[in-house]
Amino acid sequence: MTDTTDRTDTTDRAAELAARFPALHAPQYWAWGRFDAQFSTALPPDELVTNIHLVGFTDGLVVLCRDARDHWFLPGGTRESGESVDSCLARELREEAGARLLGAPAWLGAHRCVTDNPEPYRPWQPHPEKAWLWGWADVAVDSAPTNPEDGEQVVEVRAVEPTEAQRLLVGGHEAWWGELVGLAVELRRRATG
């Protein structure tokens, strides 16, 4: 009985969030990687997770990064061969935002992606299916981005009000990016009371 109730609560919560954030939950096509993508609050198996990104909060503000192309984005990136999700997230936060986690991340969900590309992006990645994991956490921005040569070259890290983060992200992306920040704000509010 308890298991059924828990599943019903989870299903009801997922349906409620899908109704509140329809662009995020709509089927998508990511032309840059030839991916059919679908967001879900259900978490994928660890072996499918190739990318991890975070809505980082500092004093209630959202941490954004801007690269040399004047492109705003949430910190995160590609998991290395044999790297854990936690290690990838810590590395990417330091590289792109000069930030560190102040507590465990809370996972929002993931985009499950399928591509018709003949080869995986990196040889060790699952193919043709993979997942982009999205989370939120409180962070401290306490150094400059390390900007490794093989990553985005971050020229600015800025903590902004959530509505400004949504505006900046949607300026260079699809509408679902703004809804992703909105989902993080909502779930953080629920978690912190």
Side-chain angles (χ1 to χ4, degrees), residues 32-33 35 50-51 78 114-130:
W32 57 266
F35 288 113
T50 61
N51 297 73
T78 303
V114 178
T115 184
D116 63 356
N117 276 336
E119 302 285 328
Y121 174 65
R122 301 257 173 95
W124 61 85
Q125 291 185 336
H127 187 74
E129 184 179 2
K130 67 182 195 172

Side-chain angles (χ1 to χ4, degrees), residues 52-176:
I52 300 103
H53 291 268
L54 188 79
V55 180
F57 292 95
T58 182
D59 296 323
L61 303 176
V62 175
V63 176
L64 293 182
C65 304
R66 183 173 61 87
D67 66 18
R69 302 169 296 163
D70 202 30
H71 173 85
W72 288 99
F73 61 94
L74 294 166
T78 303
R79 195 171 172 183
E80 298 297 337
S81 179
E83 188 175 40
S84 71
V85 166
D86 291 339
S87 294
C88 176
L89 182 56
R91 177 181 55 77
E92 290 287 350
L93 281 172
R94 185 60 63 199
E95 288 177 0
E96 295 184 345
R100 63 182 168 81
L101 291 169
L102 294 178
W107 300 116
L108 300 171
H111 277 95
R112 295 282 292 261
C113 304
V114 178
T115 184
D116 63 356
N117 276 336
E119 302 285 328
Y121 174 65
R122 301 257 173 95
W124 61 85
Q125 291 185 336
H127 187 74
E129 184 179 2
K130 67 182 195 172
W132 285 51
L133 185 61
W134 301 95
W136 71 265
D138 289 321
V139 301
V141 178
D142 55 10
S143 67
T146 60
N147 276 332
E149 287 185 26
D150 64 342
E152 291 88 359
Q153 295 306 297
V154 176
V155 297
E156 181 181 2
V157 176
R158 188 187 301 175
V160 299
E161 292 291 338
T163 53
E164 177 67 358
Q166 291 171 311
R167 186 188 70 75
L168 289 169
L169 288 169
V170 171
H173 300 288
E174 295 84 9
W176 67 263

Side-chain angles (χ1 to χ4, degrees), residues 21-32 34-40 111-114 134 174-177 179:
F21 304 101
L24 177 60
H25 287 82
Q28 301 165 22
Y29 181 72
W30 298 352
W32 57 266
R34 294 171 31 189
F35 288 113
D36 288 309
Q38 180 70 57
F39 181 84
S40 172
H111 277 95
R112 295 282 292 261
C113 304
V114 178
W134 301 95
E174 295 84 9
W176 67 263
W177 284 84
E179 288 189 5

